[in-house]
Amino acid sequence: MGQLARAQKPQAPKSFQDTLRGQWHKIEAVLPRHMSGERLFQMAVSTYNHDPKLASCDMTSLLSCVMKCSALGLEPSSVDGLGRAYILPFYNKKIKRNEATFILGYKGMIDLARRSGQVMDISARAVYEGDEFEYEFGLDEKLRHVPSADERTPDKLTHVYMVAHFKDGGHYIDVMTRAEVEKVRQRSKAKDSGPWVTDYEAMARKSVIRRGFPYLPVSIEAQMAAASDETDGGVT
């Protein structure tokens, strides 16, 4: 009888690490050549352990986020702090539980653009009160920015802009005002948490790069990654 009771005892749920290991063959199958599978596995586990709220997330959503990191060749930045990708927990009212959400980071978006082979250089910068800044669009585009030595805090940010130079000699520039950046933030369900709070400037710079992405000669995969970043009504 004791043996039967032990046999019928429900098994403890698998840990994230065990579940990830069981599905790793699928994740590793889309891993780019430049990326280490062992490193991604360790960073995924570290990311999970870094944020206790991820333990309450649906396991399928967690695996999906790791799959996106693998397919795009981007490491979760909650560990390395490089802002390439985030895996963050958010409450889903429909299923009434937390879900893990993949958020493409500022530097991750730049990486994807550079990998296209058509973008020679791409950068985004923030403008603050006290800076000399002027720009003009039209047949003769102009952009001039001279940073000041004043203190640079998020509340003093006035604009962000991006500049991309292409291998064929062309270029693309775009400028967003603080008000336009705030409209993007207000559409995000992470507007009061995560990188919008800890890395406002990086998220602002990412916003202007994302807006310009459709005009860059980048890969279809990069375009899809930017389009699925849930900026419209979701997470920026």
Side-chain angles (χ1 to χ4, degrees):
M1 185 68 178
Q3 291 180 345
L4 179 61
R6 286 194 296 271
Q8 294 177 340
K9 184 179 179 179
Q11 294 183 347
K14 288 185 178 181
S15 67
F16 171 70
Q17 186 168 345
D18 289 339
T19 303
L20 184 63
R21 186 176 289 108
Q23 298 295 316
W24 192 248
H25 63 286
K26 298 178 182 179
I27 296 172
E28 199 170 32
V30 297
L31 192 72
R33 291 183 178 180
H34 74 272
M35 197 172 192
S36 165
E38 181 179 351
R39 177 175 168 82
L40 178 60
F41 182 91
Q42 294 301 325
M43 294 194 73
V45 173
S46 296
T47 299
Y48 178 84
N49 293 333
H50 181 77
D51 189 342
K53 291 184 179 179
L54 287 176
S56 64
C57 290
D58 173 66
M59 189 64 71
T60 300
S61 68
L62 283 164
L63 294 173
S64 176
C65 288
V66 179
M67 177 69 81
K68 287 182 179 179
C69 287
S70 177
L72 295 173
L74 300 174
E75 297 175 346
S77 66
S78 58
V79 176
D80 66 12
L82 296 178
R84 287 180 169 82
Y86 300 89
I87 298 177
L88 299 175
F90 292 102
Y91 187 73
N92 187 324
K93 294 181 179 179
K94 293 182 179 180
I95 64 174
K96 297 181 178 180
R97 67 177 302 177
N98 285 332
E99 276 190 320
T101 303
F102 171 87
I103 303 179
L104 186 59
Y106 154 64
K107 291 188 177 180
M109 194 162 283
I110 288 181
D111 280 355
L112 293 178
R114 286 175 173 165
R115 287 181 206 166
S116 69
Q118 301 301 313
V119 178
M120 187 170 64
D121 182 62
I122 180 172
S123 63
R125 300 183 185 278
V127 182
Y128 290 85
E129 294 177 9
D131 292 2
E132 293 181 33
F133 182 64
E134 57 182 348
Y135 62 96
E136 180 180 332
F137 295 119
L139 294 178
D140 296 311
E141 292 183 330
K142 298 178 182 179
L143 191 151
R144 179 175 178 271
H145 178 207
V146 181
S148 73
D150 296 341
E151 184 180 7
R152 307 171 76 79
T153 57
D155 60 302
K156 295 183 179 181
L157 185 147
T158 63
H159 299 77
V160 285
Y161 64 91
M162 66 159 289
V163 180
H165 295 280
F166 310 140
K167 285 193 172 181
D168 63 4
H171 74 276
Y172 178 81
I173 66 173
D174 195 9
V175 179
M176 288 180 72
T177 64
R178 173 64 177 258
E180 290 176 310
V181 171
E182 279 297 302
K183 286 182 179 179
V184 174
R185 186 180 74 84
Q186 289 299 324
R187 289 199 302 266
S188 170
K189 57 187 177 184
K191 63 182 179 181
D192 298 318
S193 62
W196 272 116
V197 175
T198 60
D199 301 288
Y200 185 88
E201 181 185 312
M203 293 300 285
R205 288 189 287 173
K206 174 196 164 182
S207 297
V208 72
I209 289 180
R210 188 189 188 283
R211 191 168 79 170
F213 234 59
Y215 306 99
L216 303 182
V218 298
S219 67
I220 294 176
E221 291 78 12
Q223 291 282 5
M224 291 177 64
S228 65
D229 196 41
E230 301 186 66
T231 294
D232 298 323
V235 179
T236 302

